[in-house]
Amino acid sequence: MELVESCGLQVIESCLFMSSQGLSVSYQKYFQELLPPQQYNSWIKPLLFEIDGNKVILTAPNSFTLRIIQERFLTALSKQAHDFFGFPAEIELRLQKKRTSKPVVPNELQSASTPVPATTPKIQKSSGKLNPLLTFDTFVTGKANQLAHAAGLQVAETPGATYNPLFVYGGVGLGKTHLLQSIGNLVAKENSDAKICYIHATNYVSGVVKAFQTKSFDEFKQYYNSLDLLLIDDIQFIADKPGTQQEFFYTLNSLIDTNKQVVISCDTFPKEISGIEPRLTSRFTCGLTVAIEPPGLEMRVAILLQKAANSATPITEDVAFFIAKHVRSNIRELEGALNRIEAYARFHKKAISIDLAKEALKDLLAAQNKQVSIENIQKTVADFYRIKLVELLSKKRTRAIARPRQIAMALARELTQLSLPEIGNTFGGRDHTTVLHACKTIDSLRNTDSTIEAEFNLLHQTLRG
Ligand code: ADP
Ligand code: MG
């Protein structure tokens, strides 16, 4: 975005004696001078500007505008606020409320007469709420997430009536949280009375611990059992916590038995999670289990184009292809690369081109050039353990072969840009969950087995040169 660097003193002076309403209006108008009319009219004008102390509250009419403001204009808005008011004003973004009631979170229950879980209000506060920016509207679909998207939509439209629980699994940054939140937001929109809780599994664990400490287990249970929709994110974090698992098992059963919807996300397929009781993992699979795969090239391009659409700095398809070709790991990193390019363009006041993208991502590209090839990893590992390359790539499961194979997979994960399915393919067409399992196994062995740790480091060093 092209914004002038400083604000004229005149404007500040003329605002000094205005009411806060007048001040907020002139701060909004101030942007009219700075931005091209189309951008001002599309994004800034629809906002409601309010000033509360040293806080500027911006209320957006819809989640799409809110997202655009957050992604494209927030930095400029806060910088300009500083210039305009002469002190660092805090910018708070809000979404205009359409309904009176909101999704219920434990904290809010406290003011109502409903039973209160005497758990950790602080933790619940940040975890129980839905993020209005993560909706189905902004969720790009493609082959990699089509099924998960369709199932999520179905569950949100008819909670408790179809797939229960819905279990969504996939690697980091692929959209699990976005999907869970979209389901919550849609249910809340359709039914403002629905009691919805979105919680990250680590916060659920803390809640259980706190309930034990404060002997408030009944309230804790009562709260979870009273929900209409429970969205629990990253369930792998309850592994090796038997008390939490037992509690969750009862809650899960109770919700499912009363046709209340449960949606669970996880980084692996249920049966692959280690440290979780079998009765629980088998309960996970009694509804529908769907995967979110890493997006292919076209989908990565579509995501980039969607994210850059209507932005102050739009990108062409060429540039989107360029980024998508080089950033392959996950959507979060794709967003990171786009943000970096946009910031770079803004800073240098240049339009976004492939050359500019190359310049902005130069560290990332340089790191890739140093990347080790998968063939090199496989050959080096096979040589090191004195096994044949064909054996390493075979389906043989004997320890003498399987362990080196897992090490090679873990090295490939660390030293290449390949995705889990891509690594799986190069090892004789194995599933991505096998690769993930290998990486986790090696990761934990490196902490407990000094030989493995030494061998891994040696191979790592050799390959990096
Ligand atoms: P996960 O929970 O699987 O680690 P997230 O849901 O946090 O991943 O997604 C990472 C980022 O990518 C978030 O900013 C999210 O909004 C974005 N994202 C993920 N999937 C999609 C999608 N299908 N369309 C648009 N944005 C997406
Ligand atoms: Mg997540």
Side-chain angles (χ1 to χ4, degrees):
M1 175 167 54
E2 303 251 325
L3 286 178
V4 293
E5 289 300 323
S6 66
C7 150
L9 256 185
Q10 241 182 336
V11 187
I12 297 177
E13 276 169 7
S14 69
C15 293
L16 271 180
F17 297 105
M18 281 186 193
S19 66
S20 80
Q21 193 194 357
L23 193 58
S24 58
V25 170
S26 36
Y27 176 54
Q28 184 170 24
K29 285 271 168 58
Y30 168 54
F31 276 88
Q32 202 166 1
E33 317 278 315
L34 304 179
L35 290 170
Q38 195 208 341
Q39 271 178 33
Y40 175 80
N41 290 333
S42 312
W43 307 118
I44 306 295
K45 203 171 158 202
L47 300 176
L48 174 67
F49 275 67
E50 287 167 294
I51 293 173
D52 181 9
N54 66 347
K55 206 193 286 176
V56 181
I57 302 165
L58 307 179
T59 307
N62 55 51
S63 58
F64 188 58
T65 307
L66 188 72
R67 190 176 175 118
I68 296 286
I69 295 294
Q70 187 174 49
E71 288 182 358
R72 319 274 170 234
F73 294 92
L74 200 54
T75 317
L77 279 164
S78 77
K79 182 184 177 312
Q80 296 300 325
H82 193 166
D83 289 348
F84 185 75
F85 299 111
F87 55 80
E90 186 196 333
I91 307 255
E92 186 178 313
L93 291 181
R94 289 185 187 168
L95 184 65
Q96 195 177 327
K97 287 198 191 77
K98 296 235 166 61
R99 308 172 307 276
T100 43
S101 41
K102 289 178 286 175
V104 177
V105 300
N107 242 25
E108 284 161 351
L109 282 170
Q110 265 162 346
S111 53
S113 56
T114 334
V116 184
T119 56
T120 53
K122 236 173 77 211
I123 290 167
Q124 300 278 12
K125 191 176 176 190
S126 58
S127 58
K129 285 208 170 109
L130 292 171
N131 177 347
L133 298 177
L134 300 174
T135 63
F136 280 112
D137 296 343
T138 54
F139 193 78
V140 176
T141 58
K143 221 174 99 199
N145 64 7
Q146 221 150 36
L147 203 59
H149 173 261
L153 203 57
Q154 173 80 54
V155 156
E157 279 165 357
T158 53
T162 50
Y163 316 119
N164 209 7
L166 174 63
F167 189 98
V168 182
Y169 72 96
V172 291
L174 296 182
K176 299 182 297 295
T177 299
H178 193 140
L179 186 64
L180 259 57
Q181 289 272 350
S182 303
I183 295 170
N185 278 313
L186 186 57
V187 172
K189 192 170 148 198
E190 301 287 315
N191 176 4
S192 55
D193 294 329
K195 275 195 184 179
I196 302 168
C197 175
Y198 164 86
I199 190 159
H200 192 269
T202 48
N203 291 333
Y204 182 79
V205 173
S206 310
V208 174
V209 172
K210 200 80 181 178
F212 266 123
Q213 284 171 344
T214 56
K215 302 195 173 50
S216 53
F217 233 89
D218 291 346
E219 285 143 326
F220 181 86
K221 263 191 216 312
Q222 216 173 340
Y223 168 70
Y224 280 97
N225 291 348
S226 73
L227 293 171
D228 295 307
L229 172 62
L230 172 61
L231 305 156
I232 185 157
D233 209 354
D234 286 326
I235 197 72
Q236 71 273 11
F237 285 106
I238 67 166
D240 302 320
K241 305 201 171 54
T244 305
Q245 289 180 28
Q246 183 177 340
E247 189 47 39
F248 187 64
F249 183 69
Y250 292 133
T251 294
L252 186 63
N253 284 338
S254 148
L255 290 174
I256 293 174
D257 290 348
T258 50
N259 295 328
K260 302 299 170 57
Q261 185 68 48
V262 181
V263 184
I264 304 169
S265 88
C266 186
D267 66 350
T268 56
F269 189 71
K271 295 263 151 54
E272 299 268 340
I273 325 172
S274 52
I276 292 195
E277 291 176 44
R279 62 171 182 169
L280 199 49
T281 47
S282 89
R283 201 73 173 121
F284 288 167
T285 50
C286 70
L288 179 71
T289 303
V290 281
I292 299 192
E293 305 279 350
L297 180 66
E298 284 76 10
M299 188 170 156
R300 295 201 296 276
V301 170
I303 289 170
L304 286 165
L305 290 174
Q306 189 245 32
K307 301 223 179 261
N310 299 311
S311 97
T313 43
I315 60 168
T316 60
E317 234 176 84
D318 280 2
V319 172
F321 265 101
F322 174 81
I323 306 170
K325 265 189 205 147
H326 290 92
V327 183
R328 301 189 293 172
S329 43
N330 66 49
I331 302 175
R332 191 171 296 137
E333 289 189 5
L334 211 54
E335 280 181 349
L338 181 63
N339 288 341
R340 196 153 143 187
I341 292 168
E342 287 180 347
Y344 191 91
R346 233 177 358 240
F347 185 77
H348 292 281
K349 297 193 165 35
K350 282 187 183 162
I352 295 179
S353 62
I354 292 192
D355 282 343
L356 180 127
K358 266 187 200 156
E359 191 56 32
L361 301 181
K362 97 173 158 247
D363 296 348
L364 189 139
L365 299 177
Q368 274 182 9
N369 288 339
K370 273 195 249 133
Q371 295 269 308
V372 185
S373 74
I374 182 85
E375 293 77 13
N376 193 7
I377 294 173
Q378 291 169 337
K379 188 171 177 318
T380 308
V381 172
D383 287 350
F384 182 82
Y385 289 103
R386 297 178 200 288
I387 57 176
K388 291 198 187 94
L389 185 60
V390 285
E391 281 179 322
L392 189 81
L393 308 183
S394 72
K395 303 265 182 222
K396 272 194 199 157
R397 282 159 170 260
T398 50
R399 174 68 59 94
I401 311 284
R403 189 66 85 222
R405 184 185 297 132
Q406 288 179 321
I407 289 185
M409 286 177 175
L411 284 163
R413 178 80 174 140
E414 214 163 289
L415 296 172
T416 71
Q417 280 289 306
L418 298 180
S419 65
L420 294 175
E422 283 167 338
I423 295 173
N425 271 340
T426 65
F427 281 85
R430 284 186 160 77
D431 194 67
H432 74 278
T433 53
T434 310
V435 183
L436 189 64
H437 178 69
C439 296
K440 282 187 172 168
T441 307
I442 298 304
D443 214 35
S444 81
L445 280 175
R446 286 179 60 196
N447 287 317
T448 52
D449 183 332
S450 56
T451 314
I452 296 271
E453 169 68 359
E455 289 173 355
F456 186 92
N457 287 337
L458 187 63
L459 281 161
H460 194 280
Q461 258 172 18
T462 313
L463 287 160
R464 272 329 272 264

Short mmCIF file of all heavy atoms in Angstrom, two decimals, residues 72-107:
data_model
loop_
_atom_site.label_atom_id
_atom_site.label_comp_id
_atom_site.label_asym_id
_atom_site.label_seq_id
_atom_site.Cartn_x
_atom_site.Cartn_y
_atom_site.Cartn_z
N ARG A 72 -3.96 -6.80 5.26
CA ARG A 72 -3.33 -5.83 4.36
C ARG A 72 -3.12 -4.44 4.96
O ARG A 72 -2.26 -3.72 4.54
CB ARG A 72 -4.18 -5.62 3.10
CG ARG A 72 -4.76 -6.86 2.52
CD ARG A 72 -3.79 -7.54 1.58
NE ARG A 72 -4.31 -8.84 1.23
CZ ARG A 72 -3.63 -9.97 1.37
NH1 ARG A 72 -2.42 -9.95 1.87
NH2 ARG A 72 -4.17 -11.12 1.04
N PHE A 73 -3.99 -4.05 5.89
CA PHE A 73 -3.95 -2.65 6.30
C PHE A 73 -3.54 -2.42 7.75
O PHE A 73 -3.32 -1.28 8.14
CB PHE A 73 -5.33 -2.00 6.08
CG PHE A 73 -5.73 -1.91 4.63
CD1 PHE A 73 -6.47 -2.91 4.04
CD2 PHE A 73 -5.35 -0.82 3.86
CE1 PHE A 73 -6.83 -2.83 2.71
CE2 PHE A 73 -5.71 -0.74 2.52
CZ PHE A 73 -6.47 -1.74 1.95
N LEU A 74 -3.48 -3.50 8.52
CA LEU A 74 -3.29 -3.29 9.96
C LEU A 74 -2.00 -2.54 10.28
O LEU A 74 -1.99 -1.60 11.08
CB LEU A 74 -3.34 -4.63 10.69
CG LEU A 74 -3.64 -4.54 12.17
CD1 LEU A 74 -4.92 -3.76 12.41
CD2 LEU A 74 -3.77 -5.92 12.79
N THR A 75 -0.91 -2.96 9.65
CA THR A 75 0.38 -2.33 9.95
C THR A 75 0.31 -0.85 9.60
O THR A 75 0.71 0.01 10.40
CB THR A 75 1.48 -3.00 9.11
OG1 THR A 75 1.27 -4.40 9.14
CG2 THR A 75 2.86 -2.66 9.62
N ALA A 76 -0.22 -0.56 8.42
CA ALA A 76 -0.30 0.84 8.00
C ALA A 76 -1.24 1.62 8.91
O ALA A 76 -0.94 2.74 9.32
CB ALA A 76 -0.80 0.91 6.57
N LEU A 77 -2.36 0.99 9.29
CA LEU A 77 -3.31 1.70 10.17
C LEU A 77 -2.67 2.05 11.49
O LEU A 77 -2.85 3.15 12.01
CB LEU A 77 -4.55 0.82 10.42
CG LEU A 77 -5.60 0.82 9.32
CD1 LEU A 77 -6.56 -0.35 9.49
CD2 LEU A 77 -6.41 2.12 9.35
N SER A 78 -1.89 1.12 12.03
CA SER A 78 -1.34 1.44 13.35
C SER A 78 -0.18 2.43 13.22
O SER A 78 -0.01 3.30 14.06
CB SER A 78 -0.99 0.19 14.14
OG SER A 78 0.17 -0.35 13.69
N LYS A 79 0.56 2.33 12.13
CA LYS A 79 1.64 3.31 11.95
C LYS A 79 1.06 4.71 11.75
O LYS A 79 1.48 5.68 12.37
CB LYS A 79 2.48 2.91 10.73
CG LYS A 79 3.64 3.87 10.52
CD LYS A 79 4.43 3.60 9.27
CE LYS A 79 5.52 4.64 9.09
NZ LYS A 79 5.06 6.01 9.24
N GLN A 80 0.02 4.78 10.92
CA GLN A 80 -0.58 6.08 10.66
C GLN A 80 -1.28 6.62 11.91
O GLN A 80 -1.33 7.82 12.13
CB GLN A 80 -1.57 6.00 9.50
CG GLN A 80 -0.93 5.63 8.17
CD GLN A 80 0.13 6.64 7.74
OE1 GLN A 80 0.01 7.82 7.98
NE2 GLN A 80 1.19 6.15 7.12
N ALA A 81 -1.80 5.71 12.73
CA ALA A 81 -2.45 6.17 13.97
C ALA A 81 -1.43 6.85 14.85
O ALA A 81 -1.70 7.89 15.45
CB ALA A 81 -3.07 4.97 14.70
N HIS A 82 -0.26 6.27 14.90
CA HIS A 82 0.81 6.86 15.70
C HIS A 82 1.11 8.28 15.19
O HIS A 82 1.18 9.24 15.95
CB HIS A 82 2.06 5.97 15.59
CG HIS A 82 3.10 6.32 16.61
ND1 HIS A 82 4.16 5.51 16.89
CD2 HIS A 82 3.25 7.41 17.39
CE1 HIS A 82 4.90 6.07 17.83
NE2 HIS A 82 4.38 7.22 18.14
N ASP A 83 1.25 8.37 13.88
CA ASP A 83 1.54 9.68 13.29
C ASP A 83 0.40 10.66 13.52
O ASP A 83 0.60 11.83 13.79
CB ASP A 83 1.76 9.54 11.78
CG ASP A 83 3.08 8.83 11.49
OD1 ASP A 83 3.89 8.67 12.43
OD2 ASP A 83 3.29 8.42 10.35
N PHE A 84 -0.80 10.15 13.42
CA PHE A 84 -1.96 11.01 13.48
C PHE A 84 -2.23 11.52 14.89
O PHE A 84 -2.46 12.70 15.12
CB PHE A 84 -3.18 10.23 12.95
CG PHE A 84 -4.42 11.05 12.85
CD1 PHE A 84 -4.59 11.98 11.83
CD2 PHE A 84 -5.45 10.90 13.76
CE1 PHE A 84 -5.74 12.73 11.73
CE2 PHE A 84 -6.61 11.65 13.67
CZ PHE A 84 -6.75 12.57 12.65
N PHE A 85 -2.16 10.61 15.86
CA PHE A 85 -2.50 11.00 17.23
C PHE A 85 -1.29 11.48 18.03
O PHE A 85 -1.42 12.08 19.07
CB PHE A 85 -3.16 9.83 17.99
CG PHE A 85 -4.43 9.38 17.35
CD1 PHE A 85 -4.52 8.14 16.73
CD2 PHE A 85 -5.55 10.19 17.35
CE1 PHE A 85 -5.69 7.73 16.13
CE2 PHE A 85 -6.72 9.77 16.75
CZ PHE A 85 -6.79 8.54 16.13
N GLY A 86 -0.12 11.12 17.54
CA GLY A 86 1.09 11.52 18.25
C GLY A 86 1.45 10.57 19.38
O GLY A 86 2.37 10.81 20.14
N PHE A 87 0.71 9.48 19.52
CA PHE A 87 1.11 8.46 20.50
C PHE A 87 0.76 7.10 19.89
O PHE A 87 -0.06 7.02 18.99
CB PHE A 87 0.41 8.66 21.86
CG PHE A 87 -1.09 8.72 21.76
CD1 PHE A 87 -1.85 7.56 21.65
CD2 PHE A 87 -1.75 9.94 21.75
CE1 PHE A 87 -3.22 7.61 21.55
CE2 PHE A 87 -3.14 9.99 21.65
CZ PHE A 87 -3.87 8.84 21.54
N PRO A 88 1.43 6.05 20.38
CA PRO A 88 1.16 4.74 19.77
C PRO A 88 -0.22 4.22 20.15
O PRO A 88 -0.42 3.71 21.24
CB PRO A 88 2.26 3.84 20.33
CG PRO A 88 2.83 4.56 21.49
CD PRO A 88 2.42 6.00 21.44
N ALA A 89 -1.19 4.42 19.28
CA ALA A 89 -2.54 3.96 19.57
C ALA A 89 -2.64 2.47 19.26
O ALA A 89 -2.04 2.00 18.30
CB ALA A 89 -3.53 4.74 18.71
N GLU A 90 -3.42 1.80 20.10
CA GLU A 90 -3.62 0.36 19.86
C GLU A 90 -4.84 0.20 18.94
O GLU A 90 -5.84 0.88 19.10
CB GLU A 90 -3.90 -0.29 21.21
CG GLU A 90 -4.00 -1.78 21.18
CD GLU A 90 -4.64 -2.31 22.46
OE1 GLU A 90 -4.55 -1.66 23.52
OE2 GLU A 90 -5.25 -3.37 22.36
N ILE A 91 -4.70 -0.67 17.95
CA ILE A 91 -5.84 -0.87 17.04
C ILE A 91 -6.55 -2.16 17.41
O ILE A 91 -5.91 -3.20 17.53
CB ILE A 91 -5.36 -0.97 15.57
CG1 ILE A 91 -4.49 0.23 15.22
CG2 ILE A 91 -6.52 -1.18 14.63
CD1 ILE A 91 -5.11 1.27 14.35
N GLU A 92 -7.84 -2.06 17.61
CA GLU A 92 -8.59 -3.28 17.91
C GLU A 92 -9.60 -3.52 16.79
O GLU A 92 -10.35 -2.62 16.43
CB GLU A 92 -9.31 -3.12 19.24
CG GLU A 92 -9.99 -4.39 19.69
CD GLU A 92 -10.66 -4.23 21.05
OE1 GLU A 92 -10.04 -3.69 21.98
OE2 GLU A 92 -11.83 -4.63 21.14
N LEU A 93 -9.57 -4.73 16.24
CA LEU A 93 -10.51 -5.04 15.16
C LEU A 93 -11.71 -5.79 15.72
O LEU A 93 -11.55 -6.70 16.53
CB LEU A 93 -9.83 -5.93 14.12
CG LEU A 93 -8.73 -5.29 13.28
CD1 LEU A 93 -8.19 -6.31 12.30
CD2 LEU A 93 -9.27 -4.09 12.54
N ARG A 94 -12.88 -5.39 15.27
CA ARG A 94 -14.08 -6.10 15.71
C ARG A 94 -14.96 -6.41 14.51
O ARG A 94 -14.89 -5.71 13.50
CB ARG A 94 -14.90 -5.24 16.68
CG ARG A 94 -14.24 -5.11 18.02
CD ARG A 94 -15.15 -4.37 18.96
NE ARG A 94 -14.47 -4.08 20.21
CZ ARG A 94 -14.92 -3.26 21.13
NH1 ARG A 94 -16.07 -2.64 20.94
NH2 ARG A 94 -14.26 -3.05 22.24
N LEU A 95 -15.77 -7.40 14.70
CA LEU A 95 -16.71 -7.75 13.66
C LEU A 95 -18.08 -7.28 14.10
O LEU A 95 -18.49 -7.51 15.24
CB LEU A 95 -16.70 -9.28 13.46
CG LEU A 95 -17.55 -9.83 12.35
CD1 LEU A 95 -17.03 -9.34 10.99
CD2 LEU A 95 -17.54 -11.35 12.37
N GLN A 96 -18.80 -6.65 13.19
CA GLN A 96 -20.13 -6.16 13.53
C GLN A 96 -21.03 -7.33 13.91
O GLN A 96 -21.07 -8.33 13.21
CB GLN A 96 -20.70 -5.45 12.31
CG GLN A 96 -21.90 -4.59 12.65
CD GLN A 96 -22.36 -3.86 11.41
OE1 GLN A 96 -21.57 -3.49 10.54
NE2 GLN A 96 -23.63 -3.67 11.31
N LYS A 97 -21.71 -7.19 15.03
CA LYS A 97 -22.55 -8.30 15.48
C LYS A 97 -23.88 -8.29 14.77
O LYS A 97 -24.52 -7.27 14.66
CB LYS A 97 -22.78 -8.20 16.98
CG LYS A 97 -21.56 -8.55 17.75
CD LYS A 97 -21.95 -8.89 19.19
CE LYS A 97 -20.71 -8.99 20.05
NZ LYS A 97 -20.16 -7.69 20.40
N LYS A 98 -24.25 -9.48 14.31
CA LYS A 98 -25.57 -9.56 13.67
C LYS A 98 -26.59 -10.11 14.65
O LYS A 98 -27.75 -9.91 14.54
CB LYS A 98 -25.49 -10.48 12.46
CG LYS A 98 -24.57 -9.94 11.39
CD LYS A 98 -25.28 -9.84 10.06
CE LYS A 98 -24.54 -9.00 9.05
NZ LYS A 98 -23.22 -9.51 8.72
N ARG A 99 -26.07 -10.89 15.61
CA ARG A 99 -26.98 -11.55 16.54
C ARG A 99 -26.68 -11.05 17.95
O ARG A 99 -25.63 -10.51 18.21
CB ARG A 99 -26.74 -13.06 16.54
CG ARG A 99 -26.78 -13.68 15.21
CD ARG A 99 -26.34 -15.12 15.32
NE ARG A 99 -25.06 -15.25 15.99
CZ ARG A 99 -23.91 -15.11 15.36
NH1 ARG A 99 -23.87 -14.87 14.08
NH2 ARG A 99 -22.77 -15.23 16.02
N THR A 100 -27.60 -11.31 18.82
CA THR A 100 -27.36 -10.87 20.19
C THR A 100 -26.53 -11.89 20.94
O THR A 100 -25.62 -11.56 21.65
CB THR A 100 -28.68 -10.64 20.93
OG1 THR A 100 -29.53 -11.72 20.60
CG2 THR A 100 -29.30 -9.32 20.54
N SER A 101 -26.84 -13.19 20.74
CA SER A 101 -26.06 -14.16 21.50
C SER A 101 -24.88 -14.66 20.71
O SER A 101 -24.91 -14.70 19.48
CB SER A 101 -26.94 -15.33 21.92
OG SER A 101 -27.77 -15.67 20.87
N LYS A 102 -23.88 -15.05 21.44
CA LYS A 102 -22.63 -15.49 20.83
C LYS A 102 -22.38 -16.92 21.22
O LYS A 102 -23.02 -17.44 22.12
CB LYS A 102 -21.48 -14.64 21.39
CG LYS A 102 -21.49 -13.24 20.91
CD LYS A 102 -20.35 -12.49 21.55
CE LYS A 102 -20.66 -12.20 23.00
NZ LYS A 102 -19.61 -11.59 23.72
N PRO A 103 -21.40 -17.56 20.56
CA PRO A 103 -21.05 -18.90 21.03
C PRO A 103 -20.67 -18.85 22.50
O PRO A 103 -20.04 -17.90 22.95
CB PRO A 103 -19.82 -19.26 20.20
CG PRO A 103 -19.66 -18.19 19.20
CD PRO A 103 -20.63 -17.11 19.46
N VAL A 104 -21.10 -19.85 23.21
CA VAL A 104 -20.85 -19.82 24.64
C VAL A 104 -19.46 -20.34 24.95
O VAL A 104 -19.04 -21.36 24.44
CB VAL A 104 -21.88 -20.70 25.36
CG1 VAL A 104 -21.59 -20.75 26.84
CG2 VAL A 104 -23.26 -20.15 25.11
N VAL A 105 -18.74 -19.60 25.73
CA VAL A 105 -17.44 -20.08 26.18
C VAL A 105 -17.49 -20.10 27.70
O VAL A 105 -18.27 -19.38 28.29
CB VAL A 105 -16.29 -19.18 25.70
CG1 VAL A 105 -16.26 -19.14 24.19
CG2 VAL A 105 -16.43 -17.79 26.24
N PRO A 106 -16.66 -20.93 28.30
CA PRO A 106 -16.73 -21.06 29.74
C PRO A 106 -16.73 -19.72 30.45
O PRO A 106 -17.49 -19.50 31.39
CB PRO A 106 -15.47 -21.85 30.06
CG PRO A 106 -15.25 -22.67 28.84
CD PRO A 106 -15.71 -21.83 27.69
N ASN A 107 -15.90 -18.80 30.01
CA ASN A 107 -15.81 -17.52 30.66
C ASN A 107 -17.12 -16.77 30.69
O ASN A 107 -17.47 -16.13 31.67
CB ASN A 107 -14.82 -16.66 29.89
CG ASN A 107 -13.69 -16.32 30.79
OD1 ASN A 107 -13.44 -17.06 31.73
ND2 ASN A 107 -13.03 -15.23 30.51
#
